[in-house]
Amino acid sequence: MTEAQAAPADETGGDKAAELPSGDASFTPTLWGKAGPDLETKPSSMVTPCAGATETKDTRNDESTAPENTPHADADAADAVPLSKNARKRAAKHDLWQAKKMQKKGEEKAAKTLKAEEAKAAFSTKMQEMTEAEKAEYEAGRKANRDERMKQAETAKAKKHEALHSPFSVVLDLEFGALMTEKEVKSMAKQLCYCYSSNGKAAVPAAMYFTGLDGDVGEALTKASPGYQNWAVHHKPEPYIDALSKRKNDLVYLTADSENELTDFVANEIYVIGGIVDRNRHKNLTLNKAKEQGIRHARLPIQKHLALSGTHVLTVNQVVDIILAQLELKNWDLAMEKAVPMRKHAKEEPGKQTKEEGDGELSE
């Protein structure tokens, strides 16, 4: 990106992030969004007859000899295959677990109902023993507490809506639903809830975008939190590259695979996080996407400011927490310490240097 295209820097961030190399518009791989091989068009045979060989009739596709391929035939074939001893044990164990789970759920529900009835009876007895003056004082106290809670809720709601106009923007790219398992998609939806909660409580909140909601992740988020449409978030069913096409020069994709290290966040820049949970199965996924779309990319300076134990892959909500902490503290060391759970911090041993094996700030 040229200097003329660079976004104005704020006083604290300077123009450091604006110095990131511009996107490579000529780089156009489609690995990140490429569908798998079309099995329907696969040739029936990859073997060609040898020269001089006698040609024989291939009866494999002959309608007169081909077996019927019907749903009933498939079902009968499946029923005909007996389960192994271990498979039967696993099935029985699963059924037992389900039965115990339902029993426990019923017991918890009954205990909760009993506790509510006991509390209601105790409250009724307490009110009957009060004088009229005590009742009036009690009701006034309840009303004051209720009014205070409503006031706090309104203040929090106003703060969340103010964040929509923050000079700092974070996009959660949710276009990777097809690359995740059902369990991973549900995990991603849960992480979005954490991201929104953290942003609402942050001292310096960011304007948050959920893009690519017209997919598996959006559907899972609807089930996990049906009221998410009312969140103070920019909801975009389309991809971010379309939703923010007029601000393409402001986009910076945060990816652990980038060779560019971010020094600080700059006002009016838009930082994109790949919303994917895949335990590092897809290498260079978000980097390839950023290059294909011709936008800038960078990685967080995790390796310089934090020693991690075990896996270096952080969840999406942990990356958001790092961003929010850095916006508040303007100190990467303190931000990492505040945002990353202590269980992921490497324990320093006397006389032993911590091994650094790259950073994995994104769930790629």
Side-chain angles (χ1 to χ4, degrees):
M1 186 175 68
T2 63
E3 293 182 3
Q5 294 172 316
D10 70 345
E11 296 179 357
T12 56
D15 59 354
K16 299 174 183 177
E19 297 174 357
L20 293 173
S22 60
D24 184 2
S26 63
F27 186 92
T28 55
T30 54
L31 176 62
W32 69 271
K34 187 176 181 180
D38 187 358
L39 299 182
E40 297 298 327
T41 60
K42 184 177 179 181
S44 60
S45 175
M46 298 299 293
V47 180
T48 57
C50 299
T54 304
E55 185 176 333
T56 58
K57 183 179 179 181
D58 188 353
T59 60
R60 286 177 295 176
N61 295 325
D62 193 335
E63 294 182 359
S64 61
T65 59
E68 280 192 29
N69 187 15
T70 64
H72 296 291
D74 292 341
D76 294 341
D79 293 339
V81 178
L83 292 175
S84 66
K85 184 178 180 181
N86 288 336
R88 291 196 301 271
K89 285 183 177 180
R90 285 195 297 270
K93 187 176 180 180
H94 178 73
D95 292 341
L96 180 61
W97 176 79
Q98 286 282 16
K100 288 183 177 180
K101 181 180 178 182
M102 295 302 295
Q103 181 182 359
K104 184 179 179 181
K105 190 174 181 180
E107 292 173 353
E108 289 176 348
K109 184 177 181 180
K112 187 176 180 180
T113 301
L114 179 61
K115 186 176 180 180
E117 291 176 352
E118 291 175 350
K120 186 177 180 180
F123 176 75
S124 178
T125 302
K126 180 181 178 180
M127 293 298 291
Q128 290 175 1
E129 294 174 351
M130 285 184 181
T131 63
E132 291 300 322
E134 289 174 337
K135 287 182 180 180
E137 183 180 358
Y138 177 76
E139 290 297 336
R142 288 186 66 189
K143 184 178 183 303
N145 291 335
R146 184 167 59 251
D147 292 343
E148 181 62 23
R149 288 196 301 271
M150 291 181 64
K151 183 179 178 181
Q152 292 175 354
E154 289 297 325
T155 302
K157 185 177 180 180
K159 181 182 177 183
K160 289 178 180 178
H161 281 275
E162 287 176 4
L164 292 173
H165 308 289
S166 170
F168 301 99
S169 300
V170 174
V171 171
L172 295 177
D173 176 13
L174 309 177
E175 298 178 54
F176 303 105
L179 299 178
M180 292 186 281
T181 64
E182 182 180 356
K183 183 178 180 180
E184 289 168 343
V185 169
K186 290 180 179 179
S187 175
M188 186 65 249
K190 191 181 234 183
Q191 290 182 40
L192 293 176
C193 298
Y194 294 149
C195 291
Y196 179 67
S197 177
S198 295
N199 196 49
K201 299 173 184 176
V204 184
M208 193 164 285
Y209 291 77
F210 288 178
T211 64
L213 284 168
D214 190 13
D216 295 341
V217 179
E219 184 179 346
L221 183 58
T222 301
K223 294 178 181 179
S225 183
Y228 88 92
Q229 291 90 347
N230 300 321
W231 290 358
V233 169
H234 296 286
H235 301 85
K236 303 293 181 181
E238 68 271 26
Y240 69 89
I241 199 68
D242 296 329
L244 300 168
S245 58
K246 294 182 180 179
R247 300 188 62 187
K248 183 177 179 180
N249 290 334
D250 298 331
L251 295 171
V252 179
Y253 213 118
L254 298 179
T255 170
D257 300 309
S258 174
E259 66 276 12
N260 309 314
E261 190 169 84
L262 195 72
T263 54
D264 205 353
F265 297 104
V266 177
N268 299 319
E269 298 277 272
I270 304 175
Y271 298 94
V272 185
I273 302 173
I276 182 169
V277 180
D278 69 343
R279 306 296 187 270
N280 256 0
R281 285 197 309 271
H282 303 286
K283 302 296 183 182
N284 297 324
L285 179 69
T286 50
L287 177 62
N288 284 347
K289 183 173 185 179
K291 287 182 176 180
E292 176 182 348
Q293 295 178 336
I295 65 175
R296 293 174 296 156
H297 50 84
R299 68 174 186 267
L300 297 180
I302 293 181
Q303 188 174 7
K304 282 185 178 179
H305 301 276
L306 180 66
L308 295 175
S309 63
T311 176
H312 284 207
V313 178
L314 301 181
T315 62
V316 172
N317 59 289
Q318 287 169 356
V319 177
V320 170
D321 287 343
I322 290 174
I323 294 175
L324 297 174
Q326 175 63 12
L327 291 178
E328 175 189 359
L329 302 172
K330 298 299 180 184
N331 184 303
W332 285 111
D333 291 326
L334 297 178
M336 303 283 183
E337 183 178 352
K338 178 180 179 180
V340 180
M342 287 303 299
R343 68 178 182 274
K344 295 190 74 69
H345 290 226
K347 296 180 180 179
E348 296 184 3
E349 298 181 12
K352 183 177 181 180
Q353 186 177 1
T354 303
K355 183 179 180 182
E356 294 181 311
E357 298 179 346
D359 52 44
E361 67 266 32
L362 302 184
S363 299
E364 299 180 356

